Amino acid sequence: LAKDQGKSTYCLFTQEMNNDMIEKTLLEMDLRQAISRNEMELHYQPQYDMKTGRMTGVEALARWNHSKKGLISPGQFIPIAEESGIILPIGLWILETACKQAKQWQEQGFPNIRMSVNVSIRQFKQPAFINNVLKVLQKTGLDPCYLNIEITESMTTDVDYSQKILQQLHNEGIHVSIDDFGTGYSSLSYLSKFPITHLKIDQVFLQDLSSSNTAIIKTIIDLAKNLSIDVIAEGVETDEQALFLSTLRCDEVQGFLYSRPLPKHEIEKLLQTVPV
Ligand code: C2E
Ligand code: MG
Ligand code: MG
Ligand code: MG
């Protein structure tokens, strides 16, 4: 009996695995068509200066509106795009769409709006990365200082390579954030070597303001201040979290408390009502 059970469990497991694989392959095929089918869209989440209350910029966040499955979150499709390499054309489309949008808002009378764009490791490691970024800036006419590239700690394990690329971005006047900071297990010593402009505190630390998490947030903010890097807290959802961050003089905030990521026209409405 035990053997039978083991066998049926095994069969079920492999069948599920196959279904997962089929599902993934189908999704991957659709993902290849997503841009030409106009299914990819960017939403933008505002970021605010804690001291002045001004909206300093937005983070572009990709949304995939699948014709049959509806909205698919980046947490689901970015890993598939990354693994299959489709992230390269999609990432370039994201970069160009975001820069074009920032330039448009600047021309509409909001000259200081900064555009943060997430790049994935495949893009960062691509030999043409810097060239692609420069071409997009040239094509869209966006001043490089209003582009902020978000990378994660885990992308910087090759310190020499990262330093070279980050230095090139810096030389071009492009800003760089380390996203999800504090979760990547990387050495802190690289921070002083990398010419970065922003640290984004990962939202896990804010979710529960336990004594160890508050200590970590304090440490990250102190570290950034000592290195003259601006700190952004993401995932701010409550007044309590906001108050805590302002007491520590965190520079900027982003989160549902202020605004969810919004489609283009919603941001345009917001820009009419908030200080920028
Ligand atoms: P991320 O770059 O760390 O982006 C922040 C995520 O937190 C976003 O999720 C955002 O919607 C969410 N968020 C913002 N405020 C709050 C809050 O107050 N509470 C909570 N619970 N969540 C909040 P989203 O849009 O689902 O994106 C997830 C991740 O997918 C991003 O994390 C990023 O790693 C990746 N991603 C999204 N768009 C892109 C893209 O265009 N390119 C690449 N390479 N990755 C992207
Ligand atoms: Mg990000
Ligand atoms: Mg993040
Ligand atoms: Mg994240």
Side-chain angles (χ1 to χ4, degrees):
L1 191 75
K3 201 178 157 198
D4 281 355
Q5 240 172 19
K7 200 172 171 189
S8 69
T9 313
Y10 175 74
C11 285
L12 199 73
F13 183 59
T14 46
Q15 197 180 348
E16 247 170 43
M17 233 172 59
N18 284 333
N19 286 342
D20 277 0
M21 276 163 63
I22 292 164
E23 178 73 14
K24 212 172 115 189
T25 310
L26 290 175
L27 218 53
E28 193 184 303
M29 283 164 64
D30 288 343
L31 195 54
R32 277 182 208 283
Q33 313 284 328
I35 287 175
S36 61
R37 288 180 179 159
N38 269 324
E39 293 175 351
M40 202 55 75
E41 200 185 321
L42 294 185
H43 284 191
Y44 304 92
Q45 189 175 33
Q47 300 170 325
Y48 293 92
D49 184 310
M50 280 215 104
K51 255 199 314 241
T52 64
R54 287 177 194 277
M55 182 170 151
T56 53
V58 294
E59 176 177 7
L61 294 157
R63 299 288 179 260
W64 180 17
N65 217 327
H66 191 283
S67 57
K68 292 191 192 74
K69 295 185 199 303
L71 215 59
I72 300 179
S73 76
Q76 260 183 290
F77 74 80
I78 293 286
I80 297 175
E82 175 83 15
E83 206 179 305
S84 59
I86 312 172
I87 192 67
L88 296 181
I90 289 182
L92 196 57
W93 179 88
I94 289 168
L95 189 66
E96 190 173 328
T97 305
C99 288
K100 209 195 287 174
Q101 185 58 76
K103 179 69 181 176
Q104 214 178 72
W105 286 335
Q106 292 188 347
E107 286 172 348
Q108 287 171 7
F110 310 101
N112 298 318
I113 286 295
R114 176 189 64 211
M115 179 61 73
S116 294
V117 180
N118 295 284
V119 303
S120 79
I121 188 155
R122 277 288 264 270
Q123 287 174 280
F124 190 68
K125 292 274 165 88
Q126 190 188 22
F129 177 60
I130 296 283
N131 247 329
N132 285 343
V133 174
L134 295 180
K135 266 193 266 175
V136 165
L137 287 172
Q138 204 169 36
K139 191 170 164 187
T140 59
L142 182 68
D143 185 327
C145 75
Y146 292 109
L147 172 62
N148 190 309
I149 302 271
E150 294 197 4
I151 61 168
T152 58
E153 274 175 276
S154 55
M155 287 161 63
T156 61
T157 48
D158 183 344
V159 176
D160 291 340
Y161 177 81
S162 305
Q163 197 174 6
K164 194 182 93 192
I165 298 297
L166 296 177
Q167 191 60 50
Q168 280 176 284
L169 291 173
H170 180 78
N171 293 346
E172 298 293 341
I174 298 159
H175 291 185
V176 174
S177 303
I178 307 277
D179 200 359
D180 304 340
F181 188 74
T183 58
Y185 305 103
S186 58
S187 140
L188 290 181
S189 63
Y190 73 91
L191 265 188
S192 57
K193 287 193 198 163
F194 293 166
I196 55 173
T197 49
H198 294 82
L199 274 190
K200 296 187 77 172
I201 305 174
D202 195 274
Q203 55 192 65
V204 294
F205 302 117
L206 270 183
Q207 270 158 16
D208 138 46
L209 287 179
S210 62
S211 59
S212 61
N213 280 346
T214 56
I216 290 169
I217 294 170
K218 276 183 194 158
T219 306
I220 295 176
I221 293 175
D222 279 349
L223 176 74
K225 296 227 179 278
N226 286 330
L227 296 170
S228 303
I229 297 168
D230 280 343
V231 196
I232 304 183
E234 66 178 344
V236 183
E237 292 182 348
T238 68
D239 289 323
E240 187 203 2
Q241 292 166 340
L243 186 67
F244 171 71
L245 291 164
S246 80
T247 320
L248 295 180
R249 295 206 241 145
C250 178
D251 300 296
E252 294 186 38
V253 280
Q254 175 185 347
F256 295 168
L257 178 64
Y258 309 96
S259 172
R260 293 193 169 251
L262 300 170
K264 161 199 172 80
H265 59 274
E266 298 277 333
I267 292 286
E268 282 160 9
K269 271 192 247 165
L270 192 67
L271 282 169
Q272 303 294 337
T273 63
V274 297
V276 283

